[in-house]
Amino acid sequence: MNNSDLMTVADNKEKILKTNERQKEFYNSDAVAKKNLPSRIWSKIRNGVLNDYRKQFDITNRVYDQHKLWLGDLSDKKVLDLGCLRGNALSLYLASNSKKYIGIDLSDKAIGELQTKIDGVKTNDAQAIAVDFLSDDFAETDFDIIYAYGVLHHFEDFDLLISRLKEKLKPEGIVISYDPLETSVPIKLLRSAYRPFQSDKDWEWPFTKTVLRKLKNNFVILDQKGILGSSKYGLAYNFLPLSGAFKTSKIQKLIEKDWNPKKDKDVYKCMHLTMMFQNKS
């Protein structure tokens, strides 16, 4: 890499750090509660109809259960809970069971709440820190596991993120992630129509096919599970005059097909993807 390239990388990193400062202000303020109309409409769809659908077929809990299987025995593990805000569904589980736990987020307000939760449970070595993952202020390294639930798609420069992940992981450390995809035509069109009006559009970058290829080129993909691929169309079954047992059976088959993708095209159909990938030694 020549001097010109180094300057470009440095300038880009500085730009992203400034964007992250605005992201911090967003999550520290009432802006989250006061989303604009398009954001509220999408939130209502995502947290309403889609959320009810996930609950009906226990999709969300299935993801968390899978993450616990991937995490395995944490008693001798150093774990980074990346972008955890005030604590995600597994934050206290990680804090209570790992040898060393560090939860980080941009929002000092949210991190303060997480630290209070951590203080309320029996832990070994656990702490919550308000810091930017890309900043030089975050000096911790040699993590066995980086848990990133709904986080990695917030990084616009994915090459920079990959470099940072590899730097922070042990040689064969793993990342467990969960992120939205923008790889199917219907979802891409929907997101394209909604994105210009999105309150947090400056730090929302759903995974593309290019991003997935970069992950495969830089890490060993140990496992991956698709969510709401063909099964998202199962919502339409609820409006058909068919028996409940028949509809449930058909939808379950679609969910299983998404959950166990055999080819890239099966992954690309999905709205979300959860992965376990390993640093190359």
Side-chain angles (χ1 to χ4, degrees):
M1 187 177 291
N2 58 40
N3 289 337
S4 177
D5 290 334
L6 288 172
M7 289 178 64
T8 300
V9 170
D11 289 344
N12 195 35
K13 181 178 178 180
E14 187 61 31
K15 175 185 174 184
I16 291 172
L17 290 174
K18 288 181 179 178
T19 298
N20 288 350
E21 278 295 318
R22 291 192 289 111
Q23 186 177 174
K24 174 182 177 179
E25 293 172 4
F26 178 83
Y27 286 109
N28 269 346
S29 70
D30 292 333
V32 178
K34 297 178 179 177
K35 292 180 178 180
N36 60 28
L37 181 59
S39 296
R40 292 200 303 273
I41 291 173
W42 175 241
S43 292
K44 188 170 183 178
I45 294 173
R46 183 182 61 195
N47 298 325
V49 177
L50 286 178
N51 196 41
D52 290 343
Y53 187 64
R54 289 190 187 97
K55 287 181 178 179
Q56 181 183 356
F57 292 95
D58 206 31
I59 295 173
T60 300
N61 286 333
R62 186 176 189 177
V63 171
Y64 294 138
D65 289 342
Q66 184 65 56
H67 288 177
K68 285 185 178 180
L69 286 175
W70 285 343
L71 288 164
D73 182 3
L74 296 170
S75 60
D76 63 343
K77 298 294 191 295
K78 181 179 180 181
V79 178
L80 174 64
D81 195 359
L82 176 59
C84 56
L85 204 61
R86 59 185 56 83
N88 54 60
L90 293 186
S91 290
L92 294 185
Y93 174 83
L94 295 171
S96 301
N97 291 282
S98 56
K99 181 178 180 180
K100 182 171 184 178
Y101 167 90
I102 299 176
I104 69 170
D105 195 85
L106 293 169
S107 171
D108 47 358
K109 180 179 179 181
I111 281 296
E113 293 180 33
L114 175 57
Q115 186 63 60
T116 298
K117 294 176 183 177
I118 290 174
D119 292 340
V121 300
K122 183 180 179 181
T123 61
N124 297 316
D125 184 355
Q127 60 180 318
I129 305 172
V131 68
D132 191 323
F133 181 60
L134 299 178
S135 170
D136 293 337
D137 293 335
F138 184 57
E140 288 277 355
T141 58
D142 294 325
F143 288 99
D144 296 288
I145 299 171
I146 295 179
Y147 185 66
Y149 188 92
V151 177
L152 301 187
H153 70 283
H154 289 306
F155 293 82
E156 179 181 3
D157 189 329
F158 209 76
D159 292 322
L160 181 60
L161 172 62
I162 286 174
S163 176
R164 192 65 164 168
L165 288 171
K166 295 176 79 68
E167 174 188 336
K168 295 299 182 182
L169 284 169
K170 283 185 175 179
E172 294 186 353
I174 67 168
V175 178
I176 295 174
S177 64
Y178 178 92
D179 291 278
L181 299 180
E182 195 174 76
T183 51
S184 71
V185 174
I187 297 303
K188 189 170 184 177
L189 291 174
L190 177 63
R191 292 191 187 280
S192 296
Y194 158 70
R195 183 178 173 82
F197 309 100
Q198 192 174 350
S199 299
D200 49 357
K201 62 181 181 296
D202 290 340
W203 47 85
E204 283 283 336
W205 304 94
F207 284 5
T208 61
K209 293 178 182 179
T210 299
V211 164
L212 294 178
R213 283 194 291 268
K214 287 181 177 180
L215 285 173
K216 288 185 178 181
N217 290 337
N218 286 276
F219 298 93
V220 179
I221 308 300
L222 299 177
D223 202 356
Q224 57 183 352
K225 302 294 184 183
I227 298 98
L228 295 178
S230 299
S231 60
K232 63 179 171 287
Y233 302 113
L235 283 164
Y237 280 104
N238 292 325
F239 301 100
L240 298 177
L242 302 170
S243 72
F246 177 81
K247 288 188 285 187
T248 297
S249 174
K250 294 290 288 185
I251 292 172
Q252 287 287 11
K253 288 179 181 178
L254 294 175
I255 290 172
E256 291 304 318
K257 183 180 179 181
D258 296 337
W259 190 252
N260 297 293
K262 295 181 179 179
K263 300 178 181 179
D264 286 345
K265 66 178 183 179
D266 297 327
V267 172
Y268 296 159
K269 294 176 183 178
C270 297
M271 290 183 67
H272 293 87
L273 179 68
T274 184
M275 308 177 74
M276 174 173 62
F277 50 93
Q278 186 177 49
N279 201 10
K280 290 182 179 179
S281 57

